[in-house]
Amino acid sequence: MSSSDQPEPSISATEQPLLATSTSYSDQYPAPISYTHSPRPIRDLPFLLLFLLLTLSTFALGFLSLAKRNPDKTQLSHFTYNPSLSTCILSQSLPTSSSSFLTSSPLLEFLIPTLLITLLLSPPITFSLLFLLRHYAKHLIYASIPFFILTPCFLNAYWFAACVVSAGCHEAFPLTYRIVVLVFVFLLIGVILWIIVSNWHRVQLTIQIVQASAAALAENIALLSVLPMLLLLYALIYFTPVVVFLVFATWNGKVVPRAHKGFYECVWKEDRWVQWYFALAVIMLLWSAATMIEAQVYVISGTVAQWYFTSEASRPKRSLRSSLRNAFGPSFGTVSFSGMVMGAVRLVRIILDAAKQERELRGCITLILKCCADFLLSAFDFVNKFTINFAAITGEGYCSSAKMTYELLKRNLLSAVFVETVSTRLLAGIVFVISSLYAILVYVILRATSALNTELYLIAALTWVLLMVVLCYFVYVLDNVIDAVYICYAIDRDRGDVSKDHIHQVYVQLPKNRNQGSSLV
């Protein structure tokens, strides 16, 4: 449905100042914003070339480290210092028989099958959750909210009671400490309850957003199978080889004598280039991982946008394939640029969080520096928010996408930072409840069918972690679908079109940003 079929909306007083902005923007970008199909021009070529150059250097030096590795590294303990030669020589040592074999353990006997079964059940559980969110989101969310409180309360009371009954836990964990932990966990549960109550007025809108986004993801269900395969492929052809190169890089060196307390000992001295290679490889691991994350966001946004801007009577053809081709083709420079920015931001945040634990960093000047750093990082987050989504839709470069996204959302009085974080919290709570109930079920079954004791808790905890990771990845994909649909909705508003009426009916209820500039929420 286009704007020509709808009555002309009246311009309110609050929207009149936007006309000047819209006019200047139309002068700068005369073509209307829409999804750009292939072929697309190559964007951000310098960052593409830089990424490829550093990747080739990392792999070339990695293969060099394999070729030049010194096997003496593994025999360092057999080297002794020879005073007459003033060097270290390999001493004759008796061969030791190291027969490595797997001992049968009751823990492994039940742990491995349980994890495999959990891994096999995780796709049906994920698709079932998607089905429920698409058709019964209201019932599922309202039914899950009480368990956000009841499940941690039950687990907290259960471990306390189990520790009282268990003699080993009772002796190793004094009563005073147990009471402190019990009260502290209940306080955290109280904080969760306060968050739910304070955001209760937004639950209904959140349900509609989640349901609409689940429907969009269900229409592009192949994303849930292709994206994990993409991660696996990255781990096999990039991450794992670089880690192997780093291990064998430490084998490049020689055994040298070193004076220590009047005696000489044999130590391993690495070649000088090894530390530089470590720096390069670690940087590329961080950059490539961040780039892969941004590539997934790009693929999700491009695929969802093609579905969004296609009429209801037809379906987009090869939307996922074209998004993959664009992400790792003409727009890979943009994806690499975004990955470099976000990787640097995350790295600096980690460094700042670690620095907060250091006492010597206290002081007025340090506090000012950290405030400035937090401000700059928030600015980077602000610039990058929705940038890669917009680039996936239009095929623009990174800087152009950042500017155009900001102008697009500002013209339409939409927030450039915040869509609906309550949906993420609710989905995380649902995932926690499902994983906890599954872990409790595993514990009950193993308790009835095995003779394990304390090992049951470890098996249940590991199954909880495994299912939690899988479902959290599903939430991550759904969150990106929400952002992609939001940008598509903003483009619709900007053009005066209604590509998906049910999406407009939901997203139009989001609060408008009445400030001409966007604020960080």
Side-chain angles (χ1 to χ4, degrees):
M1 183 184 299
S2 65
S3 59
S4 59
D5 301 327
Q6 301 293 332
E8 289 288 338
S10 59
I11 302 175
S12 61
T14 56
E15 294 175 344
Q16 286 177 359
L18 296 178
L19 293 176
T21 305
S22 179
T23 303
S24 62
Y25 181 86
S26 60
D27 294 338
Q28 188 174 1
Y29 304 103
I33 301 175
S34 61
Y35 183 83
T36 304
H37 293 273
S38 299
R40 292 181 173 182
I42 298 177
R43 303 291 188 182
D44 298 309
L45 183 60
F47 295 94
L48 170 62
L49 297 178
L50 178 62
F51 183 87
L52 294 179
L53 176 62
L54 294 181
T55 296
L56 291 176
S57 302
T58 302
F59 275 79
L61 292 175
F63 284 116
L64 181 63
S65 68
L66 285 174
K68 294 183 59 179
R69 68 184 185 275
N70 188 348
D72 291 345
K73 167 76 171 180
T74 59
Q75 302 176 353
L76 180 61
S77 59
H78 300 306
F79 277 85
T80 57
Y81 178 70
N82 190 322
S84 59
L85 298 177
S86 299
T87 187
C88 291
I89 60 173
L90 182 63
S91 61
Q92 298 294 329
S93 59
L94 295 176
T96 58
S97 59
S98 58
S99 58
S100 60
F101 57 91
L102 290 176
T103 59
S104 59
S105 169
L107 176 62
L108 295 178
E109 181 181 351
F110 287 93
L111 176 61
I112 296 177
T114 303
L115 293 180
L116 289 177
I117 293 174
T118 302
L119 196 60
L120 292 175
L121 289 178
S122 57
I125 293 175
T126 301
F127 289 122
S128 300
L129 179 58
L130 177 61
F131 174 82
L132 292 175
L133 290 175
R134 182 183 184 183
H135 297 285
Y136 306 102
K138 182 177 180 179
H139 305 81
L140 177 63
I141 291 177
Y142 279 125
S144 301
I145 287 177
F147 288 96
F148 296 174
I149 306 300
L150 296 179
T151 303
C153 284
F154 169 77
L155 295 176
N156 193 32
Y158 180 81
W159 81 262
F160 186 83
C163 194
V164 172
V165 175
S166 175
C169 180
H170 188 272
E171 295 176 358
F173 205 15
L175 179 61
T176 305
Y177 294 153
R178 277 180 280 150
I179 293 176
V180 170
V181 173
L182 181 73
V183 173
F184 177 74
V185 173
F186 275 125
L187 288 176
L188 291 180
I189 296 173
V191 172
I192 296 174
L193 178 61
W194 176 81
I195 292 175
I196 294 175
V197 173
S198 61
N199 291 279
W200 188 257
H201 62 286
R202 302 163 67 181
V203 171
Q204 186 60 39
L205 176 58
T206 300
I207 291 173
Q208 297 180 41
I209 291 176
V210 170
Q211 191 165 14
S213 302
L217 180 56
E219 293 293 334
N220 302 276
I221 195 66
L223 287 171
L224 291 178
S225 57
V226 172
L227 293 179
M229 293 174 59
L230 195 62
L231 280 179
L232 180 62
L233 189 63
Y234 162 74
L236 291 177
I237 68 175
Y238 198 106
F239 190 87
T240 301
V242 174
V243 171
V244 173
F245 293 153
L246 286 173
V247 172
F248 282 100
T250 61
W251 289 31
N252 286 258
K254 58 184 178 180
V255 180
V256 296
R258 186 181 65 180
H260 180 67
K261 296 182 179 179
F263 298 94
Y264 282 93
E265 60 181 2
C266 295
V267 297
W268 180 258
K269 182 181 180 182
E270 294 179 350
D271 293 339
R272 278 188 165 184
W273 66 271
V274 173
Q275 58 183 348
W276 296 104
Y277 178 71
F278 256 78
L280 172 64
V282 170
I283 289 174
M284 289 310 299
L285 282 179
L286 295 175
W287 190 3
S288 63
T291 300
M292 183 55 57
I293 293 174
E294 297 301 302
Q296 291 185 86
V297 177
Y298 188 102
V299 172
I300 293 171
S301 302
T303 305
V304 171
Q306 292 180 69
W307 163 81
Y308 183 92
F309 292 112
T310 303
S311 62
E312 298 286 353
S314 60
R315 294 179 59 88
K317 297 180 180 179
R318 300 178 179 177
S319 57
L320 180 56
R321 184 184 302 180
S322 65
S323 296
L324 287 169
R325 184 171 59 248
N326 291 329
F328 295 97
S331 293
F332 190 70
T334 302
V335 174
S336 301
F337 192 179
S338 181
M340 182 183 67
V341 173
M342 296 311 297
V345 169
R346 292 187 179 100
L347 179 61
V348 173
R349 285 194 185 279
I350 293 174
I351 295 175
L352 288 178
D353 292 339
K356 291 178 181 178
Q357 308 297 327
E358 300 292 336
R359 294 182 178 180
E360 61 267 17
L361 292 181
R362 294 178 180 177
C364 181
I365 297 180
T366 304
L367 180 62
I368 295 175
L369 292 177
K370 288 194 290 186
C371 290
C372 294
D374 289 337
F375 174 78
L376 291 176
L377 294 178
S378 300
F380 276 115
D381 286 338
F382 170 78
V383 170
N384 198 73
K385 185 63 176 178
F386 298 122
T387 296
I388 197 67
N389 306 96
F390 191 90
I393 297 172
T394 62
E396 292 288 335
Y398 182 84
C399 295
S400 177
S401 296
K403 182 178 180 180
M404 293 175 69
T405 305
Y406 172 76
E407 295 291 342
L408 170 69
L409 298 178
K410 186 178 72 171
R411 270 198 324 277
N412 292 277
L413 299 175
L414 298 174
S415 172
V417 179
F418 175 74
V419 178
E420 189 59 39
T421 58
V422 178
S423 60
T424 304
R425 297 167 185 169
L426 283 177
L427 291 173
I430 293 174
V431 166
F432 172 78
V433 170
I434 294 175
S435 302
S436 300
L437 293 178
Y438 180 83
I440 293 173
L441 179 62
V442 168
Y443 174 83
V444 171
I445 294 176
L446 292 180
R447 185 83 178 193
T449 59
S450 69
L452 298 175
N453 294 319
T454 57
E455 295 88 352
L456 289 174
Y457 298 105
L458 177 60
I459 296 177
L462 291 178
T463 55
W464 179 86
V465 170
L466 178 59
L467 185 60
M468 191 79 176
V469 169
V470 174
L471 294 181
C472 282
Y473 185 77
F474 164 75
V475 172
Y476 163 78
V477 174
L478 190 57
D479 279 341
N480 283 287
V481 171
I482 293 174
D483 290 344
V485 172
Y486 184 65
I487 288 296
C488 293
Y489 163 73
I491 293 175
D492 256 2
R493 277 179 58 99
D494 198 59
R495 300 188 307 179
D497 290 341
V498 180
S499 299
K500 291 287 186 290
D501 184 63
H502 65 283
I503 297 292
H504 276 252
Q505 292 178 7
V506 174
Y507 277 76
V508 76
Q509 302 177 54
L510 286 172
K512 301 298 183 295
N513 180 18
R514 294 296 175 181
N515 299 323
Q516 292 301 315
S518 297
S519 59
L520 295 176
V521 179

